[in-house]
Amino acid sequence: MLAEIITIGDELLIGQVTDTNSVFIAKQLNKIGVSVYQITSVQDDKAHILQALKNAEDAVDIVILTGGLGPTKDDITKKTIAEYFNDTLVKDDSVLENIESIWKQHIKTELLQVNKDQALVPSKAKVLMNKLGTAPGMWVEKGNKVFISLPGVPYEMNALIENEVIPKIKNKYNCPFILHKTLLVYGLGESALAARIEQWEDALPKHIKLAYLPNLGQMRLRLSAKGEDEAQIIKDVDQEVNKVLPLIKKEFFGFEDEEGSVEVTIARQLTKLGKTLAIAESCTGGTIAERFTVNSGASTYFNGGVVTYATESKINVLGVSKTDIEMHSVVSSKVAESMAKNTMQLFKSDFAVSTTGNAGPTKGDSDAEIGDVFIGIATKNNVYSEKFNFGNSRVKVVNKAVNKALEMLLKEIFKN
Amino acid sequence: MLAEIITIGDELLIGQVTDTNSVFIAKQLNKIGVSVYQITSVQDDKAHILQALKNAEDAVDIVILTGGLGPTKDDITKKTIAEYFNDTLVKDDSVLENIESIWKQHIKTELLQVNKDQALVPSKAKVLMNKLGTAPGMWVEKGNKVFISLPGVPYEMNALIENEVIPKIKNKYNCPFILHKTLLVYGLGESALAARIEQWEDALPKHIKLAYLPNLGQMRLRLSAKGEDEAQIIKDVDQEVNKVLPLIKKEFFGFEDEEGSVEVTIARQLTKLGKTLAIAESCTGGTIAERFTVNSGASTYFNGGVVTYATESKINVLGVSKTDIEMHSVVSSKVAESMAKNTMQLFKSDFAVSTTGNAGPTKGDSDAEIGDVFIGIATKNNVYSEKFNFGNSRVKVVNKAVNKALEMLLKEIFKN
């Protein structure tokens, strides 16, 4: 079963907005055995949308469009869909009721004609009721193919995918089972890893696909398989995983969570151990904390964190010694270790990780080279730090520092 | 001048990785007058890539591909490009030298044949030297069209776009001037705003396009224009902006920075005023701090922040009174205000913003409803807070809280 996701909106094509909708949709489709063949972002332009619909109809079974369903003049998806199916727009009373109810509850200003017009849908479409917003989802069948149009607002789209689209697709099609299993690997480059596991890779059965996903010091190795027999697929993939693990014994750090990544692995292990974490960030500016707290359940193991961006806050908030800063510089092993240790004590946690560095583009409060980062780890029995240089791109320095801090934390926590 | 961006990799189509490459490329192309017609994400599959190349060649002048240039077996872009142009791969000595030099400096293990093979490029391609990695960029011309292939690793791709691709495109093509100007608007829904400015919108000259970008309580209104005469385009857009501003006097809060958003506007204003900011986050878990620190120059106005996720850290780190928490609950106006005030004092800043709430999915340390969030603001003369309920999706609650906190901060800072 193949799908194409078409995201509509000029904001995507001028780089003003990142397309996270298709990431969410692709994940949900994969879970029920639908492969996404292509993701296409197109302009708010009728001819272009019509062309994209035609190409998608030729290539796949399921076409999902997002965006362009708002009440304003730049929103043209609905009219374009009607044209594509030689259809007309008709008022749907249940959608109008939903709009009026949302207006009464949340908006409270006058209901305008443009809002009422959001109740117009192509006559051939089944409405997918959007309880979170005024733009209805639509489901149009043509032969054995289906075209689904959803609002572009992420949380409205998410709810419609989960509550309407996925159950309906499962009901209509007999989908195979898709399994992805991703191994987190540290300490081997892409080609060194490939050389290490070459014989195994060459002997992989045809229905299992392998992918290397390198990312700033971290490597993910993904096995993907698809088939009718769920139990067999799980068994086949597990068998291959069991064969490759002895080859990367030292470098393997766990499986990536279906929804998450290395921080999810850390979170799971901390929860299992009943241990807690605190974080002190300078150059990474809150990014590490955010990586943990974005997932639910963080309150069981995450006591908190500080972003001590200014040198003075390292002294005032974290009690880093002024003399140490003067003697060793604010970007130093000494300061990274004090930050980690004092944060662990301040938040009464079992572990703490700290970052202090110069992400550039200019030198800050220290003489450290641009790209220099010290990462500190504190545990009940030990405090240590490592020095890195992550180059001279600010974004790269921050992201490499975040990844490295997570790697050090992962290693430390799995040591215990 | 039209371009298509083709991003290659199964990881995009199973939702494992968000396509940020095309966001960056689209922004850079726009700046030099190249419009992105379409963004297409395709699988690591030869037939599919060939089809995408054909479709793109039919539609646009410039085709940019990213991904699939690594040394491992799942990387097939280079071979596929050679096939598309009936070309063969030949060794490029300068690329081999670059690979050897990177190996010697950074990797230090044995240089394998698969790494040496990264020096093979189609004979018709001009090499775009990738100083940050082993996969070379490639530039292939066909008639007046150009096909550019870049590695998928974001920072390598970024550098090649900035240093090689953009200068070469500017040199080869005579591009028009593209201008986007985005107004930040708070306090009006999409349709209410559209109704307010309808007459103005209807009278817009044909070469200026308008877009509404609603986002969880914030609205962005974008004017876009394209033309040969840069001075005239700037004048035309400014003239329209000057006409619309009086219509949204109360709701307009500034222009979105070319690269940024509301936090960039806040940052600019704080820097201008010579004032500083500190942040105390509970349910937003570091996201607000990260929004500021991701941009360079944060150290001039951002003193720091705390993520007091656990109730105990609110007491230990921020000195929120235990009695207040017991009397009013940890998710309360009282606690939000204490957090803001104490953070301002702790970090010696001029302003502070705080969040405390329950993002769900389960109730935490308080009796607050899921979705309840209090946002506090502290200034030298005033402390206040507001209560919100942002619904029951965790991601939505966090993002709405972040947006609302930024909105309140923006309003406070522009008041001064």
Side-chain angles (χ1 to χ4, degrees), chain A residues 291-323:
Chain A
R291 285 274 195 101
F292 284 103
T293 57
V294 79
N295 300 307
S296 62
S299 53
T300 43
Y301 65 86
F302 182 59
N303 286 6
V306 280
V307 183
T308 50
Y309 216 67
T311 297
E312 218 191 328
S313 2
K314 292 185 184 71
I315 301 167
N316 296 337
V317 181
L318 281 185
V320 174
S321 128
K322 205 174 166 180
T323 322

Side-chain angles (χ1 to χ4, degrees), chain A residues 95-213:
Chain A
V95 175
L96 186 58
E97 245 170 65
N98 183 54
I99 294 170
E100 287 171 340
S101 140
I102 287 176
W103 225 257
K104 221 169 132 185
Q105 262 189 285
H106 299 292
I107 318 269
K108 287 164 191 159
T109 59
E110 191 196 349
L111 183 64
L112 304 167
Q113 189 57 41
V114 286
N115 304 114
K116 287 186 195 160
D117 285 349
Q118 291 198 281
L120 295 173
V121 296
S123 76
K124 292 173 187 165
K126 262 184 247 173
V127 164
L128 308 174
M129 192 58 70
N130 176 7
K131 289 174 192 139
L132 301 174
T134 52
M138 286 164 282
W139 172 284
V140 185
E141 298 194 4
K142 183 179 174 188
N144 197 35
K145 307 206 168 192
V146 59
F147 296 75
I148 300 154
S149 171
L150 302 173
V153 179
Y155 73 91
E156 298 179 17
M157 181 279 297
N158 291 2
L160 281 169
I161 285 281
E162 282 177 350
N163 304 329
E164 298 285 338
V165 175
I166 294 296
K168 274 182 125 67
I169 289 176
K170 276 170 84 174
N171 193 36
K172 183 176 169 66
Y173 298 102
N174 199 356
C175 299
F177 177 70
I178 297 179
L179 180 68
H180 302 291
K181 199 148 190 173
T182 302
L183 286 67
L184 297 172
V185 179
Y186 282 108
L188 274 179
E190 187 173 3
S191 51
L193 175 61
R196 177 88 68 83
I197 63 176
E198 189 175 10
Q199 282 193 312
W200 168 81
E201 180 175 357
D202 288 343
L204 273 177
K206 263 206 147 160
H207 67 296
I208 299 185
K209 224 177 149 181
L210 187 72
Y212 296 80
L213 303 167

Side-chain angles (χ1 to χ4, degrees), chain B residues 40-89:
Chain B
T40 312
S41 300
V42 302
Q43 300 173 324
D44 295 304
D45 173 89
K46 194 173 78 177
H48 194 177
I49 299 172
L50 291 172
Q51 180 65 51
L53 283 167
K54 178 78 186 64
N55 290 349
E57 185 177 346
D58 290 345
V60 303
D61 311 288
I62 300 167
V63 183
I64 300 186
L65 300 96
T66 71
L69 296 183
T72 50
K73 295 192 169 81
D74 55 328
D75 294 303
I76 58 163
T77 303
K78 216 157 53 176
K79 269 184 264 173
T80 308
I81 291 174
E83 180 168 335
Y84 188 75
F85 291 107
N86 293 314
D87 200 359
T88 50
L89 297 174

Side-chain angles (χ1 to χ4, degrees), chain A residues 340-373:
Chain A
K341 195 172 149 220
N342 298 359
T343 299
M344 183 177 69
Q345 286 164 354
L346 189 62
F347 285 92
K348 300 186 178 156
S349 64
D350 300 295
F351 298 95
V353 60
S354 68
T355 62
T356 179
N358 183 355
T362 54
K363 291 199 174 191
D365 276 357
S366 82
D367 287 335
E369 291 301 316
I370 291 169
D372 275 359
V373 176

Side-chain angles (χ1 to χ4, degrees), chain B residues 133-154:
Chain B
T134 53
M138 288 164 279
W139 171 284
V140 185
E141 298 193 3
K142 182 178 175 187
N144 198 35
K145 306 205 169 192
V146 61
F147 296 75
I148 299 153
S149 171
L150 302 172
V153 180

Side-chain angles (χ1 to χ4, degrees), chain A residues 183-189 193 215-220 248 250-254 261-263 266 402-408 410-411:
Chain A
L183 286 67
L184 297 172
V185 179
Y186 282 108
L188 274 179
L193 175 61
N215 177 29
L216 302 172
Q218 186 199 79
M219 171 72 73
R220 291 180 291 173
I248 49 172
K250 232 185 72 199
E251 293 84 4
F252 170 70
F253 279 94
S261 41
V262 58
E263 56 272 19
I266 294 172
V402 170
N403 279 350
K404 186 52 88 176
L406 290 173
E407 176 186 345
M408 287 173 64
L410 185 77
K411 289 180 178 172

